[in-house]
Amino acid sequence: MSALATVESETYTDVDWVTGAAGCHVDGRWLVGDGPEIRAINPSTGRTLALIPSAGREQVDASLAAARRTFEQGEWSRLTGRDRGALLDRLADLIERDGERLVRLAATELGSPVRSGRGTQIGVPVMFLRWFAEAARRGPRDGLEEGLPLHHDPVLSGSLLVREPAGVVAAVTAYNVPIYLAALKLGPALAAGCSAVLVPSPKALLCNIALVKLIEEAGFPPGAVNLVFGPPAVTEQVVTAREVDLVSFTGSATIGSRLMELAAPSLKKVVLELGGKSPNILLPGADIRTAVGPSTMRFCINAGQRCGATTRQLIPESSFDEFVEESATFMRSLHVGDPHDETTVVGPLIRDEHRRDVEGYLARAAEAGAKVATGGGRPTGLGSGFYLEPTLLTGISNEAEINQEELFAPVASVIPYRDLDDAVRIANQTKYGLNANVWGPTADAIALGRRLRSGTVTVNGGGGKRDDVPWGGFGASGLGREGGEDGYREFFEVKHIQWPI
C-alpha cells in the first residue's frame, strides 16, 4: 500500500494499524496491488484518508487459485467442523477485542455514527459469527449425512443424502456495514467448509482490510479467505472465474442483475441480497406518538444507507396530518453531524456524488408536486462533509419515481390510504419486497403482515436482531437468503447416493 496521503480527523487519527499492511491479501500474504489507486475518503470532511493500490489481474488470478487449492487439497480442506467453529469463535473474539477502534474506523471511513455503530458495525456481526461457529460444529439441521427410508420399486434400495460445501465463494459486499456484510457471507461459507475471495466495495476498503487482518490473526489457513478489490473489472474477473462455484452479493438491484449476467455462462449459483423500498404501515387507531420515533429511525439510522429502511410511510387519511406534524417535529430534533460525536444520530452520505444523486431525486419529486414537510437541503455549519438533512415528503403518489427507487438516504414519503385493502395495494405496489413494519393491535397487524409481499415483516417494531432467521426478499430484492439456517444452506450442495439391497 502506498503511504498514507492525509489523516485529518482530530477525533480519530489512528488508521495506521490498517494502512500499515499492503491492501490485498492472497494465499496468506499481504500484497501491494498492481492496479490503479483507490482513494479512501472521510465523508465527514471530504478529505483523503489513504491511497490504496487495487489488485492487478495476475493478483486476482492468484487469489482464485489459492482459494481453489485450499478448498480441494489445502489445510483448510482437512479441518473438521469443530475446528472451523473454533476459528470463527476466535474471529468473533478479536472483533470484540478491537470493537471500539473498529467503530471509530467505520465512523471515519463510512461516516457511521459511533452511537449506533457499536451495534450495527460490531455487535451484530459478532452475533452472526458466533451463530455460524456453532453451525459449523453441528452441521446443517438435517445433518451432513441423512439416511432415507428404504425404496421398493422396482427393487429394494437404500439412499443417503450427503451435504457438501459448495466450493469457492465470491463474496462481493457493499460499503454501508462492511464487517456485518462480510460476516453474513464469510460466516456461513467458512462454517460449511467453503473457501472465499472477498471483493469489497472500494468505498469501504479500510474496514475490510482491518477485518482480514483479524482473520489472519485468528489463524485461518492461507487461502481460506483472500481479499482483492478495485474497479468493476476486478469484480467481473472474480465472478466469471472458473474457480468460483458460488457468488454471494449484497448491493443494488442493478449491479445484482449484472452479476447474474456474468455468472450465467458458467451457471454459477448466485445469492443476491439487494435493495428495498419498504413500507411502514400505521393501522387505524394505532398510537401515533409511539410509532413516530421508531418509524423515523428506521430510515435515518446510518443516514438511511440501509437496504431494509422503511421509507414509504403509509398512514390512514384520518391520521395523516397529525403523523406528518409529529414526524417532522421528531426529525428536526435529530442531531446531524460528526459521526464521532456520541450525540450524533445522522452522519454524512458516503460520497458527494451520491448526495447529488439523492438531490436529483428530490428536485424531480418537487417538480412532480411533492411538498417538503421538513429537511430537503444541506445542513449548515458542517464544512465540506457530504451531509443531507433528514427529509420528509408529502403530496406525491406511490407511483412517483422517488417512491419506487431506492435512494439510500434519510428520505421518506408519507402516503395516505383509504382502507386496509388500499394500504396493502400501495405497500405491494413496488418491484421490491424486502422489509415491512406494521403498527397497530398485534393480531390485526400480523393479519395484515401476512398479505404483504415481503421477506420480513415486523409488528410494532418487532424485537432485537435475530441470528437464527433468514434475511432476503421477493422480486428485485434478490435471490436466496442470508442468515439463519436458510442462509447456511445456501453454501451446501446435496448429493444423493443410492444402492440396491
Side-chain angles (χ1 to χ4, degrees):
M1 182 181 296
S2 63
L4 190 65
T6 61
V7 177
E8 40 63 42
S9 170
E10 295 181 358
T11 56
Y12 182 68
T13 59
D14 183 19
V15 297
D16 288 335
W17 67 286
V18 180
T19 57
C24 298
H25 194 257
V26 177
D27 203 12
R29 296 182 299 121
W30 289 98
L31 304 175
V32 176
D34 293 334
E37 285 186 329
I38 296 173
R39 189 177 298 273
I41 296 174
N42 184 339
S44 301
T45 64
R47 296 176 63 182
T48 298
L49 290 168
L51 299 175
I52 310 170
S54 59
R57 187 167 188 84
E58 291 183 358
Q59 292 170 322
V60 174
D61 283 339
S63 74
L64 293 161
R68 187 83 246 166
R69 185 184 66 255
T70 198
F71 172 71
E72 292 182 345
Q73 58 191 14
E75 179 185 352
W76 180 246
S77 68
R78 296 188 292 272
L79 294 183
T80 65
R82 183 172 295 277
D83 294 332
R84 297 194 300 271
L87 287 169
L88 287 167
D89 271 332
R90 174 61 175 155
L91 175 59
D93 290 342
L94 293 174
I95 293 173
E96 283 189 318
R97 182 198 71 188
D98 290 351
E100 188 59 25
R101 66 175 181 173
L102 288 168
V103 166
R104 295 287 173 179
L105 179 63
T108 299
E109 183 183 26
L110 311 173
S112 172
V114 296
R115 174 175 174 170
S116 56
R118 292 188 180 93
T120 58
Q121 304 289 355
I122 303 301
V124 173
V126 165
M127 176 184 71
F128 275 104
L129 286 172
R130 296 208 187 283
W131 192 93
F132 286 119
E134 180 57 32
R137 286 185 280 268
R138 63 167 169 80
R141 293 290 186 195
D142 295 330
L144 293 170
E145 295 187 358
E146 179 185 2
L148 299 181
L150 294 177
H151 192 262
H152 301 274
D153 187 17
V155 297
L156 185 64
S157 64
S159 284
L160 179 70
L161 297 183
V162 180
R163 297 179 177 87
E164 301 177 344
V168 175
V169 174
V172 186
T173 57
Y175 68 82
N176 53 330
V177 279
I179 297 176
Y180 175 19
L181 297 179
L184 280 176
K185 300 181 188 308
L186 298 182
L190 297 170
C194 300
S195 58
V197 178
L198 176 61
V199 188
S201 165
K203 298 170 184 172
L205 294 184
L206 300 181
C207 286
N208 280 281
I209 291 170
L211 173 64
V212 174
K213 283 170 68 69
L214 296 181
I215 290 173
E216 181 183 45
E217 183 180 348
F220 284 83
V225 178
N226 304 271
L227 171 67
V228 294
F229 49 82
V234 170
T235 305
E236 293 181 7
Q237 184 181 348
V238 172
V239 170
T240 57
R242 59 181 175 81
E243 292 89 348
V244 170
D245 300 290
L246 185 154
V247 177
S248 179
F249 169 70
T250 297
S252 71
T254 300
I255 297 177
S257 178
R258 173 59 179 157
L259 294 187
M260 286 185 69
E261 292 179 12
L262 293 170
S266 53
L267 298 177
K268 291 180 175 67
K269 181 177 181 179
V270 178
V271 179
L272 304 174
E273 196 279 287
L274 306 177
K277 198 67 184 177
S278 302
N280 178 65
I281 305 170
L282 190 80
L283 296 185
D287 186 87
I288 291 176
R289 292 193 174 184
T290 298
V292 159
S295 297
T296 300
M297 297 303 290
R298 283 171 172 260
F299 66 86
C300 285
I301 289 289
N302 214 31
Q305 296 166 120
R306 304 171 67 230
C307 56
T310 46
T311 54
R312 293 183 298 144
Q313 311 286 303
L314 277 55
I315 309 300
E317 290 177 343
S318 59
S319 304
F320 184 84
D321 290 341
E322 182 183 358
F323 183 87
V324 171
E325 181 180 354
E326 292 284 349
S327 295
T329 299
F330 182 85
M331 290 172 68
R332 285 191 286 268
S333 73
L334 299 179
H335 181 196
V336 180
D338 180 3
H340 290 278
D341 186 333
E342 296 286 351
T343 66
T344 293
V345 175
V346 181
L349 296 178
I350 191 68
R351 293 289 184 270
D352 189 40
E353 299 92 325
H354 179 46
R355 179 173 61 174
R356 291 199 301 268
D357 286 344
V358 175
E359 289 170 335
Y361 278 104
L362 292 173
R364 292 189 294 275
E367 292 172 359
K371 306 298 181 185
V372 177
T374 189
R378 301 182 179 186
T380 59
L382 292 177
S384 301
F386 313 137
Y387 293 94
L388 183 73
E389 294 173 329
T391 300
L392 193 67
L393 302 178
T394 64
I396 192 161
S397 73
N398 187 65
E399 294 83 359
E401 175 196 46
I402 203 164
N403 289 329
Q404 291 295 312
E405 298 297 329
E406 184 181 51
L407 270 62
F408 236 46
V411 178
S413 297
V414 189
I415 304 169
Y417 68 82
R418 297 185 303 277
D419 53 34
L420 295 186
D421 288 341
D422 192 35
V424 171
R425 178 191 64 80
I426 295 171
N428 290 337
Q429 191 180 51
T430 172
K431 62 185 177 183
Y432 298 107
L434 184 60
N435 191 28
N437 182 67
V438 185
W439 295 95
T442 300
D444 295 342
I446 290 175
L448 187 132
R450 292 180 183 274
R451 301 172 65 186
L452 301 179
R453 188 171 171 80
S454 179
T456 294
V457 179
T458 54
V459 168
N460 295 325
K465 185 73 173 177
R466 294 187 62 144
D467 52 16
D468 59 347
V469 298
W471 175 257
F474 302 174
S477 289
L479 298 172
R481 292 296 185 269
E482 290 189 323
E485 192 68 21
D486 293 275
Y488 187 32
R489 287 181 181 277
E490 299 285 4
F491 294 86
F492 287 92
E493 293 287 0
V494 181
K495 177 188 296 182
H496 175 214
I497 300 175
Q498 186 177 28
W499 61 95
I501 298 177

